[in-house]
Amino acid sequence: MSDAPGADDEAADRTPAETAQLALLLEVAGTPKPGNVDRRRDLGDLRFEHFLAGAVGAGEGLRMAAAGAPVGRAFERAVDGMARQRGGNTQFGCLLLLVPLVAARAAGDLSPAGVAAVVADTTVEDAADFYRAFEHVDVAVPDPGDEEIAALDVRRGADAIPAVREREVTLADVMELSAERDGNAREWAGGFERTFGAAEAMLADEGPAPDRVARAFLELLAEEPDSLVETRHGARTAEHVRERAAAVAGDLEAAETLAEDLAAEGINPGTTADVTAAATYVALERGLPV
Amino acid sequence: MSDAPGADDEAADRTPAETAQLALLLEVAGTPKPGNVDRRRDLGDLRFEHFLAGAVGAGEGLRMAAAGAPVGRAFERAVDGMARQRGGNTQFGCLLLLVPLVAARAAGDLSPAGVAAVVADTTVEDAADFYRAFEHVDVAVPDPGDEEIAALDVRRGADAIPAVREREVTLADVMELSAERDGNAREWAGGFERTFGAAEAMLADEGPAPDRVARAFLELLAEEPDSLVETRHGARTAEHVRERAAAVAGDLEAAETLAEDLAAEGINPGTTADVTAAATYVALERGLPV
């Protein structure tokens, strides 16, 4: 009987789509992740098992991304599969970050430049598929504010596609337009800077992967106001949450109290969880052991 | 924006392989499952995340089973993928039960008769692949006892294949030979009786899927001595564990104490967890909502 294989180079033992699925699962397993569902906490009717089902359902879209399908189509398929559970939106934002990262990995360059190239190559059809993805699940997004771009409001779902086509807006353009108000769009527009930074921090960290996930989440939350919190509760609350995360200083025990508090307050730093999942993917591809 | 789709008939919304992956994940999420890793408990170096990675890695083999590949080959591939994590054997027994169930489902008859037909159709090559699967991971199995069948001891791994070929032993025969000592082999030999029974109990139960998983585990453990416990600790200990599970009477709070105790005693009723995963698969296919 041989030793369990793969312990030396497990990144090479998984396909990019498998690695992305594992990142989704490790993200929700990491605890505490204050304000989010994790291994120890459900949030009312949004429960741990919905994230498990979401990760399973996303598989086909992730495999499409790895096989070179257009980013928009792969994303739309991943969201379609993810939504096949009763919890509602579990991993829309995670997948928005994971799909271009998987595409970059499949193209042989999982780096800020590699994913920026994937973003730059997106088309009007990718944008149309992105809007279609909003038909599968309710996603909390900021008000576009500007009347000029109200026609492109993602909350219009597929109804916005004629405007997307008419204005010849690529998916990269859509993200550029939202970058100011949305943390995930900011990653798209900025070479996934926080994602790659947090991945390196996870690799430099020690201990079981889910603990590294939790610490990465806390650092990201301490670093920048969460844009989902900002959308739902305003900039002041988002900044206050950031300060409270900074006070925890990456200590998982101290973070337990913050987790209890944010759950009680109904505050969900979901964008930070999305970036954490993306960082976990990059870290796994770069050798984070599981 | 439409409601999340799939809430009415989610079984039809997942492929058989996805449903099997979800069953693996729900099995490990169900808590408490005394003596096993679950959402709340790791067991030393065998941790929750190893089961997440095992479920992800098993995907390709499960898809092969759903696509009509020989059961032995699909199982060997599923175990190969499952083993690509550092925890060691996480879901060998679960997969041994899930693969023929997925094959029966793909053939259009997920019933005791349907899976019995899959078992009856297994060949000597399926048996050879089954032995190959033992090369990927260390599995605790009972001593064959009988010198006649020592040549077929699964612990010999691929070295036993010449004897398998010479005696023209099918995978169904291998299971028949082990049925007395191994609970999973007994499922194979007996139309998956406990699996289907527990699945119906889960469907008749109420509440979130992971709670139903935990209660199904407790009922199965109360019903019959766990054969992994018997292999490792003897028949008396296995019977004593059964009695302690019976005393819990399906109460999840009372089971928390049993979970603490079995973890402290190093007793792992792993076969019962395998049957629970298989029952979860059947229950999902029959409409268990997630």
Side-chain angles (χ1 to χ4, degrees):
Chain A
M1 236 40 60
S2 62
D3 284 345
D8 292 314
D9 185 13
E10 41 251 273
D13 276 341
R14 292 187 194 102
T15 66
E18 286 174 343
T19 304
Q21 271 191 309
L22 182 55
L24 289 171
L25 292 168
L26 289 174
E27 187 279 316
V28 74
T31 184
K33 291 200 320 300
N36 286 275
V37 171
D38 67 25
R39 184 174 172 185
R40 290 210 197 112
R41 283 176 191 82
D42 297 325
L43 290 175
D45 289 338
L46 183 61
R47 295 190 306 269
F48 191 67
E49 62 265 31
H50 299 133
F51 288 77
L52 302 180
V56 167
E60 182 59 27
L62 293 167
R63 285 190 289 277
M64 286 168 62
V71 163
R73 191 143 25 110
F75 174 69
E76 191 270 339
R77 180 66 188 80
V79 170
D80 184 7
M82 172 214 84
R84 295 174 188 196
Q85 36 74 28
R86 295 188 172 191
N89 180 19
T90 49
Q91 292 127 327
F92 186 99
C94 296
L95 292 169
L96 186 57
L97 300 180
L98 285 172
V99 166
L101 290 167
V102 168
R105 165 73 181 76
D109 186 8
L110 182 59
S111 69
V115 72
V118 168
V119 169
D121 282 348
T122 60
T123 65
V124 174
E125 278 315 298
D126 288 318
D129 282 323
F130 171 70
Y131 280 84
R132 277 188 198 99
F134 284 86
E135 300 284 327
H136 299 301
V137 70
D138 280 326
V139 183
V141 291
D143 194 284
D146 192 333
E147 269 196 38
E148 261 299 283
I149 56 172
L152 298 176
D153 187 347
V154 290
R155 291 172 296 186
R156 299 185 64 212
D159 291 343
I161 294 177
V164 167
R165 290 234 168 82
E166 197 194 320
R167 301 183 190 197
E168 297 184 352
V169 177
T170 69
L171 185 46
D173 295 333
V174 173
M175 294 298 161
E176 195 71 56
L177 284 169
S178 308
E180 202 187 309
R181 296 175 314 280
D182 180 78
N184 289 334
R186 211 143 51 231
E187 286 299 282
W188 266 69
F192 288 67
E193 187 183 342
R194 301 183 77 207
T195 296
F196 283 98
E200 287 308 313
M202 289 177 74
L203 289 167
D205 196 357
E206 290 179 350
D211 290 348
R212 303 197 205 193
V213 166
R215 281 187 289 265
F217 173 88
L218 290 168
E219 276 180 48
L220 287 163
L221 188 58
E223 181 183 287
E224 199 172 280
D226 184 275
S227 58
L228 181 62
V229 175
E230 197 163 328
T231 295
R232 287 191 177 150
H233 306 277
R236 270 176 72 168
T237 302
E239 170 57 19
H240 186 46
V241 168
R242 189 199 68 70
E243 287 162 10
R244 290 156 79 186
V248 160
D251 182 279
L252 295 190
E253 277 194 45
E256 291 289 347
T257 309
L258 183 59
E260 294 304 322
D261 292 347
L262 291 190
E265 296 164 32
I267 291 176
N268 166 222
T271 309
T272 305
D274 298 338
V275 177
T276 304
T280 303
Y281 172 72
V282 173
L284 287 169
E285 290 286 11
R286 292 182 174 183
L288 176 68
V290 174
Chain B
M1 234 39 63
S2 61
D3 283 347
D8 293 313
D9 185 13
E10 41 252 275
D13 276 341
R14 292 186 194 102
T15 66
E18 287 174 342
T19 304
Q21 272 191 308
L22 182 55
L24 289 170
L25 292 169
L26 289 174
E27 187 279 316
V28 74
T31 184
K33 287 200 324 299
N36 285 275
V37 170
D38 68 23
R39 185 174 172 184
R40 290 211 196 111
R41 282 175 191 81
D42 296 325
L43 290 175
D45 289 338
L46 183 60
R47 294 190 306 269
F48 192 67
E49 62 264 30
H50 299 132
F51 288 77
L52 303 180
V56 167
E60 182 59 28
L62 292 168
R63 285 191 291 277
M64 286 168 62
V71 163
R73 190 144 25 110
F75 174 69
E76 191 271 337
R77 179 65 187 80
V79 170
D80 184 8
M82 173 214 84
R84 296 176 188 194
Q85 35 74 29
R86 295 189 173 190
N89 180 19
T90 49
Q91 292 128 326
F92 186 99
C94 296
L95 292 169
L96 185 57
L97 300 180
L98 284 172
V99 166
L101 290 168
V102 168
R105 164 72 182 77
D109 187 8
L110 181 59
S111 70
V115 72
V118 168
V119 169
D121 281 349
T122 60
T123 65
V124 173
E125 277 315 298
D126 288 318
D129 283 323
F130 171 70
Y131 280 85
R132 276 188 199 102
F134 285 85
E135 300 285 328
H136 299 300
V137 70
D138 281 325
V139 182
V141 290
D143 195 284
D146 190 335
E147 268 197 37
E148 262 299 281
I149 57 171
L152 298 175
D153 187 345
V154 291
R155 291 172 295 188
R156 299 185 63 212
D159 291 344
I161 293 178
V164 168
R165 290 235 167 81
E166 196 192 321
R167 301 181 191 201
E168 297 185 354
V169 176
T170 69
L171 186 47
D173 296 333
V174 173
M175 294 298 160
E176 196 72 55
L177 284 169
S178 307
E180 203 187 308
R181 298 175 312 280
D182 180 78
N184 289 334
R186 211 142 52 229
E187 286 298 282
W188 266 69
F192 288 65
E193 187 184 342
R194 302 183 77 208
T195 295
F196 283 96
E200 287 308 313
M202 289 177 73
L203 289 168
D205 195 359
E206 289 179 350
D211 290 349
R212 304 197 204 193
V213 166
R215 282 188 290 263
F217 172 88
L218 290 168
E219 276 180 47
L220 287 163
L221 189 58
E223 179 182 288
E224 199 172 281
D226 185 276
S227 58
L228 181 62
V229 174
E230 198 164 327
T231 296
R232 287 192 177 148
H233 308 276
R236 271 176 70 167
T237 301
E239 170 55 19
H240 185 47
V241 168
R242 189 199 66 72
E243 288 161 10
R244 290 157 79 186
V248 160
D251 182 280
L252 296 190
E253 276 194 46
E256 291 289 346
T257 309
L258 182 60
E260 294 304 321
D261 292 347
L262 292 189
E265 296 163 32
I267 291 177
N268 167 222
T271 309
T272 306
D274 299 338
V275 177
T276 304
T280 303
Y281 171 72
V282 173
L284 287 169
E285 290 285 10
R286 293 182 172 183
L288 176 70
V290 175

